Amino acid sequence: MAQLLLKGHPIGNFQGVLFDKDGTLSHSEPHLLALADARINKAIEIALEHAPALQAFELRETLYRATGVDKGMLDPGGTLAVASRQDNIASTATVLCLLGCSWPQALALAHSCFDAVDQDGLIDTTPSPLINGSGQLLRDLHEQGVTAAVISNDTRSGIEDFLAHHQLSAGFAGIWSADDHPRKPDPQAVLELCDRIGLPPQRCALVGDAETDLQMALEAGIGGVIGFTGGWSRPPELPSAQHLLHGWDDLALSTAT
């Protein structure tokens, strides 16, 4: 067990820490913005081919709003930043449906555009860089015997590739991904992950950058709920945070007695 220190002040003794990935450990915004552009351009191309009555300008603007992109910045609480791939497909299909497609047609078109972006290799698949300071904290946790785990709406393979790319795999005892059920922000996802790593939730802290993550942690009885604001150009609003962390250099640990 170790004492977590926020700007030198103790905030609790914990045996484990659960981390969100995108916007918390991973500097994901540039990748996600490029992904949004590629998917929206492809959606317009495919949709106009199959439903020529749609208006390209209206479709583009509505898809960007639904995705959570505005003036080149990503809303950290928006669909692309927080939700799973399947949820983003459903969001895209909803826009197509609102603009005149039937639901079966809209859903098929949304799947087609997402698959086409993946198959065409339009996006660099190299894992995003670590947010400054996160790697050192993760190594410190591992050295002091604190259990670390990831809870994210990325796929399991996406999480594993990210950890392996940054040589962090050995430091993580568990993963809860979009491939697991229930997905976050269901509090049961936290409880299942805690069970998977063999720790009671009250002995764990959770660090996340989305209000839904923090509400989930509180409902699951997590012992320390830490909101991280340093991962996006537009800092998230996190009213449920028990502690706010603006940069990883502000968080340290010492062995608890």
Side-chain angles (χ1 to χ4, degrees):
M1 187 178 293
Q3 176 78 258
L4 283 182
L5 306 173
L6 182 58
K7 292 187 175 181
H9 300 288
I11 60 173
N13 297 330
F14 301 103
Q15 292 176 283
V17 183
L18 314 181
F19 295 91
D20 173 51
K21 181 175 80 70
D22 292 316
T24 300
L25 296 177
S26 168
H27 181 48
S28 306
E29 186 167 11
H31 169 78
L32 292 176
L33 286 170
L35 185 60
D37 288 342
R39 285 176 175 172
I40 289 170
N41 289 335
K42 184 62 69 172
I44 293 169
E45 175 188 330
I46 292 174
L48 292 181
E49 180 181 345
H50 292 86
L54 293 175
Q55 299 296 314
F57 176 79
E58 184 180 15
L59 181 56
R60 182 182 302 276
E61 292 300 305
T62 308
L63 283 171
Y64 272 115
R65 288 199 301 273
T67 301
V69 176
D70 181 40
K71 298 178 181 177
M73 291 191 295
L74 194 63
D75 179 357
T79 312
L80 188 59
V82 173
S84 69
R85 176 188 175 91
Q86 286 303 116
D87 292 333
N88 276 275
I89 288 174
S91 178
T92 299
T94 299
V95 170
L96 293 169
C97 194
L98 287 171
L99 296 181
C101 293
S102 68
W103 178 248
Q105 182 187 33
L107 197 56
L109 290 174
H111 274 285
S112 294
C113 90
F114 277 54
D115 291 343
V117 168
D118 294 342
Q119 293 164 5
D120 292 350
L122 299 177
I123 298 297
D124 183 2
T125 58
T126 303
S128 297
L130 288 168
I131 292 176
N132 289 340
S134 60
Q136 185 58 55
L137 177 71
L138 293 169
R139 287 187 285 271
D140 291 345
L141 290 171
H142 186 55
E143 289 173 4
Q144 295 206 25
V146 178
T147 301
V150 173
I151 181 165
S152 168
N153 272 332
D154 195 0
T155 60
R156 175 169 290 273
S157 62
I159 297 169
E160 290 175 343
D161 289 348
F162 171 76
L163 296 178
H165 180 77
H166 294 292
Q167 300 180 323
L168 295 171
S169 301
F172 282 84
I175 289 172
W176 197 268
S177 74
D179 301 318
D180 293 294
H181 299 283
R183 296 198 304 258
K184 72 172 193 175
D186 190 321
Q188 189 63 32
V190 174
L191 298 176
E192 295 282 354
L193 179 56
C194 288
D195 184 65
R196 184 174 286 181
I197 62 176
L199 292 175
Q202 62 269 24
R203 292 292 187 183
C204 296
L206 181 142
V207 187
D209 66 307
E211 175 64 9
T212 50
D213 287 354
L214 308 188
Q215 292 174 355
M216 170 187 69
L218 290 171
E219 291 179 31
I222 286 290
V225 179
I226 303 170
F228 184 74
T229 66
W232 306 99
S233 299
R234 179 187 301 167
E237 296 181 4
L238 305 172
S240 295
Q242 295 170 339
H243 308 281
L244 282 176
L245 175 64
H246 303 297
W248 284 110
D249 292 340
D250 291 337
L251 194 66
L253 65 160
S254 62
T255 303
T257 58

